[in-house]
Amino acid sequence: MNRLRAKLEAFYNSKWLVFVAAMWVQSVAGSGYLFESISPVIKSSLNYNQKQISRLVLPIWGGLFVGVIQNLLGYGWVWLIVTHRVPTLPLWGMCILVFVGTNGETYFNTSALVSSVQNFPKSRGPVVGILKGFVGLGGAIMTQVYALIYDPDHAGIIFMVAVGPTMVVVALMFIVRPIGGGHKQVRPSDASSFTFIYSVCLVLAAYLMGVMLVEDLFAPSHNVIVIFTVLLFVLLVIPIVIPVSLTFFSSRRSPNEEFLLPKTPKQEPTSSSQDLKNEVLFSELEDEKSSEEETICVNERKKRIALLQV
């Protein structure tokens, strides 16, 4: 029992678990890419023209005004307005709501990127590339979920954007974090683990592209869409294999030993450094010698002057 508890604790403190959870967070952080799908619903329901729809994006300074307001408040209120559950706000009110909803994902991006980069300081390029790639795929992932659940309801995509990312982030908010000593969990298999993640990303992107083409060209039945969505979730869950295998099936090092990297032994002075020291000593001796010779010359000159004066 204690061994299982230790394994579960090591699994929870695995930096690869944090990285996989960050990937899942990023997979639902692409709601900003869905605005082109949301704007026609808002436009038709509220009788906005294209010029008014274009004004729904606030300038950058508006971010200082709304602060830390999250995704649920922005898109949730938009959904309530579109479905006529609450009174309609004026155009400036809709601008604020869309701004709040769209910029709520910046908190997801920042948390996922900062925690993962701190855990993998020597692999920042792969980490940032993979996580930002999932942001781009997030819109396609949520579109597929919408096709499964809310397809007849056009306003359902706004509800899904409001609730879906909120549920995922709340479920993973205590996992996505910097691991104490995570930057020291160095394994020889890290390179192969990143290669595996890259492969999953490529397969996931190709799969989503194929699914969207099939759904646009052939209008598959609901059962086929269910199968497509189940396979999508399988691809999203596959990366969890890495922290599971490294925690429960790896016998190279114990979890506690991973936090301790071997200290670099102190190197003895090399011949070049010894030569440098000798050169410094020689130069000092030469300086002392030259100063002594100069003193002797000065004294000898004074003696000669004294003899001439006599």
Side-chain angles (χ1 to χ4, degrees):
M1 186 66 181
N2 292 333
R3 184 178 180 182
L4 177 60
R5 184 176 181 180
K7 287 290 186 180
L8 291 176
E9 184 177 359
F11 176 72
Y12 180 75
N13 290 322
S14 172
K15 65 179 183 180
W16 282 104
L17 175 62
V18 176
F19 186 55
V20 172
M23 290 166 52
W24 291 340
V25 170
Q26 293 294 81
S27 67
V28 296
S31 57
Y33 297 93
L34 287 177
F35 185 75
E36 293 297 326
S37 300
I38 296 172
S39 58
V41 181
I42 301 174
K43 183 178 179 180
S44 60
S45 178
L46 303 179
N47 295 322
Y48 285 169
N49 55 37
Q50 188 59 41
K51 186 176 181 180
Q52 291 173 318
I53 289 293
S54 300
R55 292 178 181 175
L56 291 179
V57 180
L58 287 179
I60 296 176
W61 59 264
L64 299 175
F65 178 75
V66 295
V68 295
I69 301 177
Q70 295 290 323
N71 181 78
L72 182 61
L73 177 61
Y75 283 119
W77 202 343
V78 171
W79 176 76
L80 292 174
I81 293 174
V82 169
T83 55
H84 305 290
R85 288 177 167 83
V86 295
T88 302
L89 293 180
L91 181 61
W92 62 267
M94 293 297 297
C95 289
I96 293 177
L97 290 180
V98 173
F99 176 83
V100 169
T102 303
N103 287 274
E105 68 185 61
T106 58
Y107 301 101
F108 307 156
N109 294 334
T110 302
S111 300
L113 287 173
V114 169
S115 59
S116 296
V117 167
Q118 289 185 8
N119 290 333
F120 296 91
K122 295 184 178 181
S123 302
R124 295 177 181 176
V127 167
V128 174
I130 291 172
L131 293 181
K132 299 308 290 185
F134 268 89
V135 173
L137 295 176
I141 293 171
M142 287 189 285
T143 299
Q144 183 60 32
V145 176
Y146 163 76
L148 174 67
I149 302 176
Y150 299 106
D151 196 9
D153 183 11
H154 296 291
I157 189 171
I158 303 178
F159 179 80
M160 187 198 65
V161 170
V163 176
T166 303
M167 294 174 60
V168 174
V169 174
V170 168
L172 301 174
M173 64 186 303
F174 295 109
I175 296 179
V176 179
R177 72 205 188 282
I179 298 294
H183 63 285
K184 295 183 179 180
Q185 295 183 19
V186 178
R187 289 177 179 264
S189 61
D190 283 352
S192 59
S193 298
F194 277 116
T195 302
F196 178 76
I197 295 292
Y198 275 129
S199 302
V200 173
C201 292
L202 291 175
V203 172
L204 180 60
Y207 176 76
L208 286 171
M209 181 180 66
V211 167
M212 288 186 171
L213 289 175
V214 170
E215 292 178 352
D216 290 340
L217 297 177
F218 301 102
S221 63
H222 184 73
N223 293 332
V224 175
I225 294 177
V226 170
I227 295 174
F228 285 161
T229 308
V230 170
L231 292 177
L232 172 62
F233 282 116
V234 170
L235 290 175
L236 288 174
V237 173
I238 282 178
I240 198 66
V241 170
I242 294 177
V244 170
S245 62
L246 292 177
T247 303
F248 295 99
F249 302 102
S250 178
S251 59
R252 287 189 175 183
R253 293 181 181 179
S254 64
N256 294 328
E257 290 177 348
E258 292 179 4
F259 291 89
L260 300 176
L261 288 178
K263 295 182 179 180
T264 305
K266 294 183 178 180
Q267 297 181 352
E268 296 181 356
T270 59
S271 59
S272 59
S273 61
Q274 190 67 32
D275 294 341
L276 181 60
K277 287 184 178 180
N278 293 335
E279 290 178 1
V280 173
L281 291 175
F282 290 155
S283 63
E284 291 176 354
L285 290 174
E286 290 177 356
D287 292 339
E288 292 178 359
K289 184 177 179 180
S290 60
S291 61
E292 290 177 358
E293 290 177 351
E294 185 177 356
T295 304
I296 293 173
C297 293
V298 171
N299 293 334
E300 188 67 24
R301 191 178 299 111
K302 288 181 179 180
K303 289 180 180 180
R304 290 179 181 179
I305 293 173
L307 290 174
L308 291 174
Q309 290 177 351
V310 173

